[in-house]
Amino acid sequence: MNELVFQEKNEIWTTSDLIAEKFGKQHIHVLEKIDTLLKDLENLTLKSSIVKNKYGRVVKFPEIFKEETYINERNREYRRYKLNKPAFTLLLMQVSGKKVIEAQRLFNQAFYSMEQHILKLSNHSFQQAREQGKLARKQLTDTIKELVEYATKQGSQNAKL
């Protein structure tokens, strides 16, 4: 859907190498900023190092930065981080430069667009489930009504109770 962010297991992510590219920075410098940020966050108390994601789930800061490796176009393996929106926001406060302001706007719009897309999909699924529930309840009600009519025809005095 978007080249700046992607969805994985109901979370929206971007990567440090993509951020470096869009911010006009060297990836090694973005990695250094993240490593420093993680070290600073580890020094905070446990209470202040906890945030809630948009689903209300408690997430510790190191879990919003996920370290991984990737293979570049020259078939070499490199380290990078996946960042969700809270991690990206924290990193924004650490980076400056001419390209950064426009890139920040683009990334924030990408996160927002992906969130809206996921919300539309979940709303659509909810609407479908709701309609199926209505149909199932109507079938159940109709069956009970038929049973009551049958029982009444058979002479039951308590069929409508």
Side-chain angles (χ1 to χ4, degrees), residues 101-138:
I101 293 173
E102 178 60 18
Q104 287 174 352
R105 187 187 68 74
L106 292 173
F107 273 97
N108 283 325
Q109 182 60 42
F111 274 108
Y112 175 78
S113 295
M114 184 66 79
E115 288 167 350
Q116 293 304 307
H117 176 71
I118 292 169
L119 185 61
K120 284 179 187 175
L121 290 177
S122 64
N123 282 344
H124 180 68
S125 297
F126 171 78
Q127 291 297 333
Q128 285 181 325
R130 186 169 183 245
E131 290 303 317
Q132 289 173 346
K134 285 180 180 180
L135 288 173
R137 284 188 300 279
K138 183 171 179 357

Side-chain angles (χ1 to χ4, degrees), residues 8 19 25 37 58 69 80 89 102 106 120 125 129 136 154 160-161:
E8 188 177 277
I19 292 169
K25 303 286 184 184
L37 184 59
V58 173
T69 58
R80 72 175 173 195
T89 303
E102 178 60 18
L106 292 173
K120 284 179 187 175
S125 297
Q154 296 298 314
K160 292 185 179 181
L161 295 177

Side-chain angles (χ1 to χ4, degrees), residues 11 30 33-34 41 46 49 62 67 82 88 97 101-102 107 110 114 117 124 130 154:
E11 291 284 338
V30 173
K33 293 277 187 189
I34 294 171
L41 291 170
L46 181 63
S49 65
E67 191 171 11
K82 286 191 325 188
F88 176 75
I101 293 173
E102 178 60 18
F107 273 97
M114 184 66 79
H117 176 71
H124 180 68
R130 186 169 183 245
Q154 296 298 314

Side-chain angles (χ1 to χ4, degrees), residues 2 33 42 53 61-62 69 75 83 104 107 116 121 158:
N2 193 304
K33 293 277 187 189
E42 286 176 15
N53 66 12
F61 279 125
T69 58
N75 208 28
L83 297 83
Q104 287 174 352
F107 273 97
Q116 293 304 307
L121 290 177
N158 298 320

Side-chain angles (χ1 to χ4, degrees), residues 10 14 16 30 36 46 55 66 69 73 76 87 96 107 112 114 119-120 131 150 156 159:
N10 293 328
T14 190
S16 57
V30 173
T36 300
L46 181 63
Y55 305 106
K66 294 191 178 198
T69 58
E73 63 278 353
R76 294 183 72 187
S96 62
F107 273 97
Y112 175 78
M114 184 66 79
L119 185 61
K120 284 179 187 175
E131 290 303 317
Y150 174 77
S156 173

Side-chain angles (χ1 to χ4, degrees), residues 9 15 84:
K9 296 182 182 178
T15 59
N84 64 11

